[in-house]
Amino acid sequence: MHMLNLGILAHVDAGKTSLTERLLHSAGVTDEIGSVDDGNTRTDTLALERQRGITIKSAVVSFPLDGVTVNLIDTPGHPDFIAEVERVLGVLDGVVLVISAVEGVQAQTRVLMRTLQRLRIPTLLFVNKIDRRGARHEAVLREISARLTPAIVPMGTASGLGTRAAGFTPSAGPAGALDVLTGHDDALLSAYVENSVTDALLRGSLVAQTREALVHPVYFGSAATGAGVEALLSGIETLLPAAGGEADGPVSATVFKVDRGPAGEKVAYARMFSGTLCTRDRIPFGADGAEGRITGISVFGHGTDTRTDSVGPGRIARLTGLGDIRIGDAIGEPRTAYERVFAPPSLETVVVPGPDVDRGALHLALTQLAEQDPLIGLRRDERRQETSVSLYGEVQKEVVQATLADEYGLDVTFRETTPLCVERPVGTGQAVEFNKKDPNPFLATVGLRVDPAPAGSGVGFRLEVELGSMPHAFFKAVEDTVRETLDQGLHGWQVTDCVVTMTHSGYSPRQSHAHQGFDKSMSSTGADFRGVTPLVLIEALRRAGTRVHEPMHRFRVEAPADTLGALLPVLAGLAAVPETTRNRDDVGVLEGTVPAARVHALEQRLPGLTRGEGELESSFAHYAPVTHGTIPERPRTDHNPLDRKEYLLNVTRRVCG
């Protein structure tokens, strides 16, 4: 029996978790079908998930088919939790993308489908809710073809739409598949020309092209009534590829989720790609190759996870013993670099503790949450005793707030959400501090030049001095301090898209006296280089100049064409820039860019401006210079190298004068 790691993806409220429950019931794993409304589903286990009826954390549950064991991963549909989806994509063999027969293709559906196509993940489409009033068949197929992909193969027809008797009848052969399949299959095209196409040839081509993510079979049904689910299960079993991997190869796995067990221990969810991992094995993990010993392994099967002594390729395992493991880490031999497929969060807020909340306990709790979600970036301000968290949207605030209250007993609120800006150098600047020359109190010579680099290139560090001119540890101290210092530029924002070049270096060799130990007062240490580097770098940045850039989202609004006139002035008031406008029948499509900080306001205003029919799709596009209002400043959390006197008082242990 082979393995299949299957993801269920959808826009919010498409019925994704309900479909998961129906699949488990149809496979005989559960006796009763859990209900999102009743809060008793197998995969939505968090209290907030059950209260709100949405999926927040991905969950794994397993079920058997005739020849396949399926590890099914239910993922969030709300765009605020897109990071959860991102982490799952790299461990999947196939996906079922759920679409509502009533609402049709939504903004989030398009975002997900574009990503699945870019990553070439085999995908089946399931059009859910055919029993609901307003359900459509041909119209949804046209939407899918126009807005997602024309490479679709309807696998049957739906009948009785909008009633509890709605059903799905599978086709004897893939309906209308020939035109789509011949575009990627020369043998099938030749058979078509020669009038020798057989059902077996057509079916074989469908299987091959589905597994290569070239075409996407479409099923209709209802998770509520079970209509079409048996056909979908058959498609999952026969059309999607099995998990591969060599059991006797090198151990290679990827961690896509981390939570904590009953005793507070870290539990890593890992997909095994090759090799066999056993309890008590010592195994390297993470970017720095740290080693840990596996103390426990559980694998999923028939609706639950069970303890085992080993786990082989293709499976998903729960691993304990790796105390420093993080999401995205490779275990054993790295497979490929962890690829970020969605944009990082572009918003930030300060967590405000309640009157009786211990700040140390709050910081510890937030640190543990960040371990489970690496895109929750924490920023600690020791002087103000404040912690900021990065976010995708406002709903995430509620989740963090509820999690802190329910799991840690901590009552918090938040300040206003602000955009996460960056700084980019405007020109070139350089500075140097020489060893044993006033006003440098550090036994180190460091010279740095800052040059702008292309957008999206990040930070580069180079040497224009001989690598052998001083101990390697001192060069490493400079580079590490440069990257750390660039977290806060002249305006307090992270500095990016630049190259920092070390132009000068020098140190005092190790000094000692007879019958005495090492004399630190006359010998350079790593602390000297870590101390002087921020002063040099900030001065170079000051001479180069930096410009603050704010995150911009690309937006797409679909609304009745006669409402666009009222929408345009509102967009202008939100500093949005419309770029293209076109009409499709009586629907207007407007595309452009808007500051990330204004997206939430646009979401709130859109229904009232478009009679409730407007649909907004937005995603991070790029950073653009701040051109409106005052330049945003971010409070510093370091020792403030912008103020030399304050910095030296806080940092150095041997201040001259």
Side-chain angles (χ1 to χ4, degrees):
M1 180 175 285
H2 65 256
M3 303 294 303
L4 168 66
N5 296 297
L6 177 71
I8 306 290
L9 274 62
H11 67 84
V12 68
D13 289 336
K16 172 175 48 61
T17 299
S18 297
L19 177 61
T20 299
E21 293 296 320
R22 174 61 69 173
L23 292 174
L24 295 177
H25 180 70
S26 298
V29 171
T30 57
D31 296 328
E32 295 183 2
I33 298 175
S35 167
V36 174
D37 294 335
D38 295 339
N40 59 355
T41 59
R42 288 291 298 270
T43 52
D44 286 347
T45 56
L46 297 179
L48 189 64
E49 290 179 314
R50 292 178 169 177
Q51 291 165 14
R52 293 184 63 101
I54 62 173
T55 301
I56 296 169
K57 294 289 184 182
S58 57
V60 182
V61 65
S62 182
F63 65 87
L65 293 178
D66 289 343
V68 186
T69 295
V70 179
N71 288 324
L72 189 149
I73 306 176
D74 186 17
T75 61
H78 197 286
D80 276 16
F81 309 109
I82 196 69
E84 278 289 321
V85 179
E86 171 183 84
R87 293 190 285 274
V88 169
L89 293 180
V91 305
L92 297 178
D93 303 304
V95 162
V96 173
L97 181 62
V98 185
I99 301 168
S100 169
V102 180
E103 289 85 9
V105 174
Q106 300 289 289
Q108 183 72 351
T109 320
R110 288 165 52 84
V111 171
L112 293 170
M113 189 64 183
R114 282 200 302 266
T115 305
L116 293 169
Q117 290 176 313
R118 185 166 71 249
L119 299 179
R120 298 292 298 272
I121 298 177
T123 302
L124 309 181
L125 305 180
F126 183 74
V127 182
N128 191 26
K129 301 185 179 182
I130 63 171
D131 58 319
R132 298 285 183 89
R133 181 178 299 178
R136 301 163 298 149
H137 182 265
E138 294 298 330
V140 172
L141 284 176
R142 287 195 297 271
E143 277 187 39
I144 293 171
S145 181
R147 301 188 62 192
L148 295 184
T149 172
I152 58 173
V153 177
M155 300 300 290
T157 56
S159 58
L161 296 177
T163 70
R164 293 291 292 180
F168 177 74
T169 305
S171 303
L178 198 56
D179 289 344
V180 174
L181 295 176
T182 52
H184 300 285
D185 189 333
D186 291 341
L188 182 63
L189 180 61
S190 297
Y192 173 68
V193 171
E194 297 167 3
N195 199 28
S196 60
V197 175
T198 64
D199 287 343
L201 184 62
L202 197 63
R203 183 74 180 179
S205 182
L206 174 64
V207 171
Q209 293 192 43
T210 301
R211 292 180 177 180
E212 293 176 13
L214 297 173
V215 302
H216 306 285
V218 183
Y219 299 84
F220 282 72
S222 168
T225 66
V229 172
E230 289 299 327
L232 176 63
L233 283 169
S234 176
I236 290 170
E237 181 180 359
T238 59
L239 298 178
L240 294 178
E246 296 294 330
D248 55 356
V251 171
S252 178
T254 299
V255 176
F256 66 93
K257 176 178 177 176
V258 173
D259 62 17
R260 290 188 177 269
E265 74 280 10
K266 275 192 182 180
V267 180
Y269 289 69
R271 157 73 191 268
M272 295 289 297
F273 289 101
S274 71
T276 301
L277 193 60
C278 303
T279 52
R280 295 182 294 280
D281 278 355
R282 292 195 65 84
I283 194 78
F285 65 91
D288 58 0
E291 276 201 355
R293 189 168 71 90
I294 303 297
T295 58
I297 300 175
S298 298
V299 296
F300 294 89
H302 205 78
T304 187
D305 61 293
T306 56
R307 298 280 292 191
T308 184
D309 292 330
S310 63
V311 58
R315 304 206 70 142
I316 289 175
R318 297 174 80 245
L319 307 175
T320 55
L322 306 178
D324 296 324
I325 196 78
R326 291 182 61 84
I327 292 170
D329 279 352
I331 297 176
E333 188 173 291
R335 180 169 168 261
T336 55
Y338 180 68
E339 180 185 6
R340 176 163 288 166
V341 295
F342 297 109
S346 56
L347 302 171
E348 183 179 57
T349 186
V350 174
V351 183
V352 180
D356 299 323
V357 171
D358 179 83
R359 292 176 183 269
L362 174 59
H363 183 65
L364 177 61
L366 288 170
T367 301
Q368 291 186 357
L369 291 182
E371 289 174 352
Q372 298 172 29
D373 187 346
L375 292 187
I376 293 181
L378 294 185
R379 184 173 184 266
R380 179 70 173 164
D381 186 337
E382 294 293 346
R383 289 185 295 175
R384 297 173 182 82
Q385 291 292 293
E386 293 178 347
T387 302
S388 303
V389 296
S390 55
L391 303 166
Y392 278 94
E394 295 298 315
V395 174
Q396 236 179 330
K397 273 187 183 180
E398 299 178 39
V399 172
V400 172
Q401 185 179 40
T403 303
L404 290 172
D406 295 344
E407 296 186 15
Y408 298 93
L410 301 173
D411 178 31
V412 303
T413 55
F414 299 93
R415 290 191 196 151
E416 182 182 1
T417 302
T418 56
L420 266 173
C421 300
V422 298
E423 295 181 48
R424 287 176 173 149
V426 176
T428 295
Q430 58 184 12
V432 62
E433 297 264 354
F434 290 101
N435 184 14
K436 298 181 181 177
K437 287 190 178 180
D438 289 336
N440 178 12
F442 301 99
L443 294 179
T445 294
V446 173
L448 298 171
R449 184 178 68 246
V450 176
D451 295 294
S457 61
V459 174
F461 182 80
R462 298 174 184 169
L463 296 178
E464 277 187 2
V465 294
E466 291 292 334
L467 191 58
S469 61
M470 64 181 187
H472 175 72
F474 293 163
F475 285 113
K476 185 69 166 59
V478 172
E479 180 177 358
D480 290 348
T481 306
V482 162
R483 296 186 183 279
E484 181 181 330
T485 304
L486 289 177
D487 282 343
Q488 302 180 72
L490 303 182
H491 300 277
W493 303 103
Q494 182 180 19
V495 181
T496 187
D497 300 333
C498 64
V499 175
V500 179
T501 303
M502 191 170 182
T503 58
H504 296 74
S505 66
Y507 74 109
S508 295
R510 183 182 180 93
Q511 301 288 328
S512 60
H513 301 283
H515 310 297
Q516 295 181 10
F518 169 47
D519 187 350
K520 290 195 293 185
S521 67
M522 301 175 62
S523 310
S524 296
T525 66
D528 288 295
F529 288 90
R530 288 191 294 271
V532 74
T533 296
L535 289 172
V536 178
L537 181 58
I538 287 295
E539 182 58 31
L541 275 176
R542 204 193 311 259
R543 295 174 181 178
T546 64
R547 181 174 294 143
V548 176
H549 291 62
E550 65 180 334
M552 302 292 292
H553 280 219
R554 174 157 294 282
F555 73 86
R556 183 179 190 275
V557 171
E558 283 195 12
D562 61 347
T563 67
L564 294 188
L567 185 59
L568 287 171
V570 173
L571 290 172
L574 295 173
V577 180
E579 296 174 356
T580 61
T581 306
R582 63 182 185 276
N583 289 339
R584 189 180 67 239
D585 298 328
D586 57 349
V587 175
V589 180
L590 185 62
E591 295 182 346
T593 57
V594 60
R598 310 294 179 88
V599 172
H600 185 58
L602 179 56
E603 289 173 340
Q604 292 180 314
R605 298 286 300 276
L606 189 64
L609 294 167
T610 60
R611 301 190 295 271
E613 299 179 45
E615 178 184 304
L616 172 68
E617 176 185 339
S618 76
S619 60
F620 174 82
H622 59 269
Y623 287 95
V626 175
T627 57
H628 51 87
T630 59
I631 301 299
E633 301 279 339
R634 194 188 199 193
R636 303 191 72 87
T637 61
D638 58 9
H639 293 302
N640 192 18
L642 287 170
D643 185 324
R644 185 183 185 94
K645 183 177 180 180
E646 177 188 347
Y647 176 82
L648 291 176
L649 286 173
N650 285 323
V651 174
T652 185
R653 293 181 180 176
R654 37 181 200 269
V655 179
C656 293

